[in-house]
Every structure is written in C-alpha cells, then in structure tokens.
Amino acid sequence: MQHGAVSNAGMGRGQREPADGDIVREQAVLFRLTDRLYRANGLDEIYDAALDAICDALGSSRAAILRFDSHGVMSFVAWRSISDKYRGAVNGHTPWTCNEHDAEPIFVEDIRLSGESRQLIDTVLGEGIQALAFIPLASSRELIGKFMVYYPAPHRFGDRERELALTIARQLGFAIERERAETTAARLSALVESSDDAILATDMDGIVTDWNSGAERLYGYGRDEMVGRPLMSLIPPDRQNEEREILARIRQGEHVGHFETVRLHKDGSSIPISLTASPIADASGAIVGVSKIGRDISERLRAQQQRELLLREMDHRVKNLFAIARTIVNLSAPASETPAALASTVSDRLGALARAHALTMLPATGHSVQAATSLHALIAAILEPYRQGTGEHPRFTISGIDLPVPPAMITPLSLLLHEFATNAAKHGSLSAAAGSIEIACSNSDGKVTIQWREVGGPPPIATDDEGFGSRLIRAAASELGGVVRDWGAAGLVLEITIDLERFPA
C-alpha cells in the first residue's frame, strides 16, 4: 500500500470514549494473549493466540500474520478466513522492506480511496474486503513482518483500536523473538552437547560454569563434579601459567587459536589436547567468561610417531640393505672364477634377500596373508641370502620343533630375525667366510624358545648404546614375548621366547 494514500489525519475524531465494559473486555483480551504467549509451545501456538486477540480486540473475523522469509519476501504464515486465491495474489506485497527500523502502522479506511493500482483494489474488493490495517511486527533489532486485519465495509479506526493493534504487535513481536532465541539456543545447546570435543566455559576467575558430555568423556569428570570448581584442577602444575596467560588475553578480547598442550584426566593420566579459547560477552559487550574447546590429539600424535618410526625404519633398512649387499659381494667374490659367475651368485643372493625382506612387510592381518608360514620356513627365508658360503660347511642350520606361525606373528618375528641376520652380516658370524649360525627351536614350560647362536665370526663386542636397530628389536620383541642377548666368547647368543598359546593348536 502507498503511504501517501492513507493519511491518518482526522482518524478517530468524534468517536465516543470507551465504556467501562469495553475497557474490561480489552484488558481481558490482552491478559489472555499474554498468558497464551507465555505458555505457547512453538510458533503455531503463538500465531493462533495472536490471531484470536486481533479478531477479538479489533472486532473482525478476518486477520493474517506475515513474516519476511530468508529472501526478504513478505509471506503469509497464519491467517483467519482468507482464501488461497487472495493469499497467492497479494503474497510478497508490503509497504516496508526488512531493513526498515521505524515502520509506522498504516490504516486504510476504504480501499477504493487508497490510490493503489486498479488491479490491487479489484483483488482486495474481490475478497470481500473494503478496509484493512497494516501493523508492523518488530524484534529488538529488525522488522520481522506484519499482521493484517480486514473489514468487509469501510471502517473508521479510532485511537483506541490503533493502541490495541500496536500493543498486540509488540507482544507478538516479543513472542516471536523469544521463540527464535529459544530455538537457536536449544539448537546450539544440542550441538554443544552432541559434540565429540570437550566444550566448557568458565568465569573470569577460572571457575567452571558449563561442561558438556564431550568434556565428561575427555577428562573423566561429570558435570556435577566440575561446575563450580576451578579449572586449574585439570592443568598440570608445570603448565598452570598457561591458564593465567589465557585469561589475560581473553580480558583483552583476544581469541586464543589452536595450540597443543596437556591436561589431566580424573585418573591422573595426561591427555594431549588441542585447545582454543574465546571470550564470552554479555548483552552490553562486557567480557564475563571464557569458552574453551579441547580436542584429544592422542591418536594423531601416535600416528605421527608411527610415521616417524616408519621413516626411520626405512632409512635404517636402506642403509642395512646396502651394507648387506656389500657383504654379499665380498663373500661371493673369492668363490667366483669369472665376473659372470660373480654376477650370477650376487644376483641369486640379492633375490633371496628381497624375498626375505618382503616377509617383513607382510601385514599382520587381512586377506593378503595366506596360510601360516612354518617356523623353520620363515627362518630359512630370512637367512636364504647367506646360504652359500666360501667353504663346504653350511652357513646356517635349523633344528628342533617346527610350528605353524600365525599371520599376526609373521611381521614382528620376521623383523627380529631380519635384524639378527643383518647384524650378523655386518658385524657377526656372517661377516666372516667361515662363520655360521645355529638356530635351535624348542618347547618347554609353555614357552617356545628360538635360540640363535653365532659361531666362527669375530669376537662379539657388547655395548650399552641403544641404536635404532636395538630399539626396533625391543619393539618387535614386545609383541612376542622377550629377547635375551649374551655376548659370549665363542659368539653372540640370542634367545626369543614366545608363549606357546600364541601358536595354532
């Protein structure tokens, strides 16, 4: 509707003062509206209460409520006695935009005198409407819509009716804003509560005020245990300055981005986390608290450590393979009469080395692992590159019990044996032309023992230094049972012990 077509000048003049009965009725209507809005459960009940009040207070059987949608279009959301055809024809029509802050109500006493287009006037008259009012609905921040009241004949709007219309509009606007805020708060609360991250809040003294289920899972404390307690109880003594620094930055209005730190679980264990902190402000903008989000990074750190271990293992293996290849060449050369024979011998041994190396790369589980390898076959595959020596005696012997090796044991056992063979080729009995290894497998007291005895090599040198190879042996042995090393005068002796129950029956 055009603003200029419906001047309010002179409206309400000469109308009688409201009788006491009218005032009581109006007050009763407003009381019922207030009560129903307070008790309303959702927008539908809010709209229903408002339409009843509009019709009762303003003496009409026809009314409608319209809201701006997400595209800024004014659309019908609730109505009384308005046809589908009419709603479709006037949907989107509004005298205001959603950005207006001081919209004034518009009262049209006779649509035929409004100055609107002939098409719009005919549409309104076709619905049996001759007078109507546009009453803006506003929240505390913006215009959110309007309500309409319609009359079948020209209607003179008195001051009392206009006051009632504005009072109903204010109450309806407040109710819509409250419902929207409660819905948003409930949605945010659900998001916070369902988050896997630990989300908590403290006041500016570091006292916990909020605590979600993610915080319960991460730190082990229930909400009742932490709300009202100092957050310092989660912080290791050597890191408590962090909390003071965070609070100091929050007081300056800063956001503390992701940084990695450590917090304490209820059971006393340390938890590595990634932490963010943000200020919480009240309606006036004053900072009254801190919101914190903590994310457990234990798995990421373990994965990072595993990657670093694999990279170091790769470096270690590559260096060892070069050293072994050099040893193979040195051991093969004296027995080779021609370059071609040397090339053939070295090629065969390097091929065997590659097959043994492949065993150490088998996954511990999965369909790629086929039938279990026997214990003797696994040892033989690892030592195959060193089978041929310069003399007639064998480079290694395998004796004793032979058991199937389950797929889950292949990788750690192969890593151990491969490391033993590598060290023997670099420093032990396999580095000497006459050296050899004796492997004996036995079963006693529920333990399977694999004894690795080196003979004929250089005197072993014991060392307390733990290089990567030693750490690799220790890590692989921890998956099996244990490894004992003895640097005897005759040569190095190693024993691997594994629980018999680890082997298939």
Side-chain angles (χ1 to χ4, degrees):
M1 296 295 173
Q2 298 176 4
H3 291 266
V6 285
S7 170
N8 291 335
M11 289 185 182
R13 290 178 182 172
Q15 294 195 1
R16 67 176 180 84
E17 291 292 322
D20 291 342
D22 294 333
I23 294 175
V24 171
R25 181 183 61 81
E26 292 166 359
Q27 289 178 341
V29 168
L30 294 177
F31 176 81
R32 284 196 301 272
L33 174 62
T34 301
D35 183 63
R36 289 180 65 184
L37 292 179
Y38 176 77
R39 299 174 184 275
N41 184 20
L43 285 173
D44 288 343
E45 292 186 11
I46 289 174
Y47 295 151
D48 193 55
L51 288 173
D52 282 348
I54 292 166
C55 292
D56 290 346
L58 301 178
S60 174
S61 62
R62 310 175 77 181
I65 299 172
L66 298 88
R67 296 274 305 277
F68 285 111
D69 62 20
S70 59
H71 302 290
V73 177
M74 185 81 81
S75 300
F76 285 84
V77 294
W79 54 89
R80 293 281 172 83
S81 303
I82 300 296
S83 69
D84 293 345
K85 180 180 178 181
Y86 179 75
R87 294 199 311 274
V90 301
N91 196 66
H93 185 276
T94 175
W96 315 291
T97 66
C98 58
N99 296 322
E100 288 191 47
H101 295 284
D102 299 313
E104 293 291 335
I106 299 173
F107 300 91
V108 181
E109 294 187 338
D110 190 337
I111 188 65
R112 294 169 296 185
L113 305 178
S114 66
E116 288 292 339
S117 68
R118 188 72 255 169
Q119 181 181 6
L120 181 59
I121 291 174
D122 289 343
T123 298
V124 175
L125 292 174
E127 184 69 7
I129 299 170
Q130 292 194 39
L132 62 164
F134 298 71
I135 312 298
L137 301 175
S139 70
S140 60
R141 300 182 303 276
E142 61 186 350
L143 186 67
I144 59 175
K146 66 180 178 181
F147 81 70
M148 304 287 300
V149 58
Y150 311 96
Y151 297 89
H155 182 83
R156 193 174 186 85
F157 293 92
D159 293 340
R160 191 71 182 174
E161 284 180 310
R162 283 185 264 170
E163 291 174 7
L164 281 170
L166 291 175
T167 299
I168 293 170
R170 280 193 293 270
Q171 292 209 49
L172 176 55
F174 291 154
I176 292 172
E177 183 176 32
R178 186 198 69 194
E179 172 65 21
R180 183 164 59 181
E182 289 177 351
T183 300
T184 300
R187 185 167 59 250
L188 290 175
S189 178
L191 286 172
V192 167
E193 193 58 29
S194 63
S195 174
D196 289 334
D197 292 335
I199 303 176
L200 59 93
T202 72
D203 61 20
M204 293 309 295
D205 293 321
I207 303 301
V208 176
T209 58
D210 289 285
W211 187 263
N212 80 333
S213 57
E216 292 185 2
R217 290 189 294 271
L218 181 60
Y219 300 118
Y221 292 97
R223 188 177 189 278
D224 293 341
E225 294 178 277
M226 283 305 299
V227 171
R229 287 184 57 189
L231 191 63
M232 283 291 190
S233 60
L234 298 180
I235 304 175
D238 62 338
R239 291 179 177 266
Q240 298 208 346
N241 277 338
E242 286 181 357
E243 180 67 7
R244 299 183 186 96
E245 292 171 3
I246 288 173
L247 289 174
R249 293 177 62 180
I250 291 295
R251 288 189 180 94
Q252 300 301 315
E254 293 185 40
H255 173 87
V256 179
H258 291 278
F259 75 95
E260 296 182 5
T261 184
V262 175
R263 292 294 180 260
L264 296 176
H265 190 271
K266 183 178 181 179
D267 63 12
S269 61
S270 296
I271 311 166
I273 65 168
S274 174
L275 183 68
T276 61
S278 303
I280 299 173
D282 63 14
S284 68
I287 296 171
V288 295
V290 186
S291 169
K292 295 184 177 181
I293 301 176
R295 175 168 297 177
D296 188 351
I297 57 173
S298 302
E299 288 298 326
R300 178 169 66 78
L301 292 181
R302 278 193 288 269
Q304 181 179 329
Q305 291 169 355
Q306 183 66 20
R307 284 194 300 271
E308 292 173 355
L309 177 64
L310 290 174
L311 288 172
R312 294 177 65 189
E313 181 182 344
M314 183 183 298
D315 177 69
H316 178 74
R317 283 177 176 239
V318 168
K319 290 176 180 178
N320 279 346
L321 287 173
F322 278 119
I324 293 170
R326 183 173 63 249
T327 299
I328 289 174
V329 172
N330 291 337
L331 291 174
S332 302
S336 301
E337 296 179 357
T338 65
L342 174 62
S344 177
T345 301
V346 171
S347 177
D348 289 344
R349 291 183 174 179
L350 288 178
L353 177 65
R355 290 190 295 275
H357 181 73
L359 280 175
T360 69
M361 301 306 292
L362 284 174
T365 59
H367 298 297
S368 59
V369 177
Q370 299 178 356
T373 302
S374 77
L375 188 57
H376 285 200
L378 178 62
I379 298 170
I382 297 295
L383 291 172
E384 183 62 28
Y386 317 99
R387 180 177 292 279
Q388 297 178 356
T390 57
E392 296 181 356
H393 68 280
R395 297 290 276 169
F396 63 89
T397 60
I398 306 171
S399 62
I401 64 167
D402 191 14
L403 299 171
V405 180
M409 196 185 295
I410 289 177
T411 294
L413 187 53
S414 296
L415 283 172
L416 276 176
L417 296 171
H418 187 272
E419 194 65 25
F420 295 167
T422 298
N423 291 337
K426 290 165 60 178
H427 315 294
S429 60
L430 295 183
S431 68
S436 63
I437 302 173
E438 299 171 355
I439 299 103
C441 305
S442 61
N443 172 19
S444 178
D445 297 328
K447 301 284 186 182
V448 173
T449 301
I450 304 169
Q451 185 185 75
W452 173 290
R453 182 183 298 275
E454 298 185 17
V455 294
I461 300 174
T463 175
D464 293 330
D465 295 336
E466 187 180 56
F468 181 75
S470 298
R471 289 194 293 274
L472 184 61
I473 288 173
R474 180 159 50 82
S478 68
E479 297 187 44
L480 298 172
V483 173
V484 176
R485 286 182 280 189
D486 179 17
W487 285 271
L492 177 64
V493 178
L494 301 110
E495 285 191 355
I496 307 170
T497 58
I498 308 168
D499 289 335
L500 179 61
E501 63 185 22
R502 299 279 303 277
F503 291 87

